Amino acid sequence: MTPDLIAAARARLAGHARVTPLLSSPFLDEIAGRRLLVKAECLQHTGSFKYRGARSAISALDPDTRSRGICAASSGNHAQGVALAAREMGVKAVILMPADAPRIKLENTRALGAEVVTYDRATQDRDALMLELEAERGMTLVRPYDDPQVIAGQGTCGLEIAEQAQAMGIDRAEVLVCCGGGGLTSGIAVALSQAAPGYRVRPVEPAGFDDTRRSQLSGQREANDRLSGSLCDAILTPSPGKITFPLIQAHCGPGLVVTDDEAMQAVALAALRLKLVVEPGGAAALAAALFHGGELEGDAVIVTASGGNCDPQLLAQAMGLL
Amino acid sequence: MTPDLIAAARARLAGHARVTPLLSSPFLDEIAGRRLLVKAECLQHTGSFKYRGARSAISALDPDTRSRGICAASSGNHAQGVALAAREMGVKAVILMPADAPRIKLENTRALGAEVVTYDRATQDRDALMLELEAERGMTLVRPYDDPQVIAGQGTCGLEIAEQAQAMGIDRAEVLVCCGGGGLTSGIAVALSQAAPGYRVRPVEPAGFDDTRRSQLSGQREANDRLSGSLCDAILTPSPGKITFPLIQAHCGPGLVVTDDEAMQAVALAALRLKLVVEPGGAAALAAALFHGGELEGDAVIVTASGGNCDPQLLAQAMGLL
């Protein structure tokens, strides 16, 4: 996983992925106590950075492989990113989703042209079903994070951050990234290691689901006890990836942890001050910048607002905090 | 008021105003029944396009005049745009606001560095107070729309629309603009008359406050009966401007009218599908594209999401519609 792979992914994404803006507000600078810039990946196609990695991975397949279609397992942002990227490229996509996933997510994924196959979480083994799809239909699995081409796609976000922030005169910064499996975190970290060596990436996770932070401390991949129970559902994963973790270990500073309450405050402030809809998991990095300034160094902090697929009721609830 | 003035304003705004993105969603295309692009001016500094006109007007003043400061009267988006532009340029700003304006708007305007002078709507004459400021303090009034340099600033939004939409291969389009006094509408219309002659601008107003549409029909400036009573408060004005109306008459197609309910649906859909916070008055054009497609021509429609300073409770209410 090298900067070259990210540069190549960027060339494949050009004209397809949106160059999302790097936003700011003097009101947020004041809360953060330093200059704060927000990379608005919630404005990416399908409402999250996941489209980058999906399009990167699918476009990297040779034509023969691609013609047999791709498959993925996700109940969330990865599903929508894969579905849209596949449709745009004329590639058949099958997405495995739990039958009890929110109806809107099932409908969105179907509306984006994917075939949705549902399974019963209690009685069926998702991985076995996925292997069947691969074996019987010859489809290629697009993993949510542990794939070099997916990581390279997410890394294109890091190249944009470097260019946009350097154009604003920022040579040194902490770059806080909402971290689930680590695809976005490691991709941005590798990109910045070359494009902006004065920037340091730091993963941000929800309290109780800080597998990456604990892995950084112990030096080996640690797992979470559970996989539900935080509003930051978009970034709950079992453990850092086999490919992503060594990259995080090599390139990132210490991880940060935010509570659900802090994430919800950040959702509210993003709406009020940036006019952005961000989901709690996508607001974790902003929450860290706003409420954990004492754990940061330097005059400038850059955060990813990585996803905006927020449940409407949850957004309404966040607005009540203002 | 010529395209040259807009080009000059653009040069003065370069590196200051944000180039806001032109966004889209396949889900909105489907509701609209045609390709729909949204110019996200809610992401402009201070949350609305007003910053463009304010910065254009203040930067056009000669240094002597500027050094005596500027003043403005507004309880809304214009106040914040003027306050920030003035602060950035080191110009003293006094903003006249009704004492009963929402506390958050008073606080925001002060926080952006302006001196806020409040008056009692019932007993004091705003225009007389403004004349006093101009006469006694030698300040220059920055009008909200009826000023060529303000219109030129708003017109820079039109130049961006032309470039961004043409890069997407769009040669013909209806361009729907949320219309109050007509500064944004006329500015975009003049810009497009030269930069994209295949695009036609159409003003969009709230039902019951369609002074511009009625003026277009009668050929003279018509007034609204009242100035409150719509959720689209940001675009309620007494009548089209003396300068803006002839420009609208010369360059725009027929006006459209949307209800408050339609505007609120558009607020909800902008949050759900574009991840943008838009206020009802800033969502009027989107509402027209989504719910009045029968009154539009052609395969492509572009709308301004002109402002995002939405009351949190109102945004929460809109989310309940989904």
Side-chain angles (χ1 to χ4, degrees), chain B residues 23-37 290 301:
Chain B
L23 302 173
S24 62
S25 156
F27 297 100
L28 297 183
D29 289 352
E30 186 163 328
I31 299 173
R34 47 171 60 85
R35 193 165 176 191
L36 169 59
L37 299 168
L290 293 173
V301 59

Side-chain angles (χ1 to χ4, degrees), chain B residues 267-317:
Chain B
V267 168
L269 287 166
L272 181 67
R273 297 305 186 188
L274 299 170
K275 317 307 171 192
L276 292 179
V277 175
V278 187
E279 60 192 288
L286 177 59
L290 293 173
F291 308 124
H292 292 261
E295 300 167 50
L296 304 178
E297 292 175 9
D299 298 334
V301 59
I302 302 168
V303 307
T304 60
S306 5
N309 292 316
C310 192
D311 175 76
Q313 263 52 57
L314 210 58
L315 177 59
Q317 193 184 320

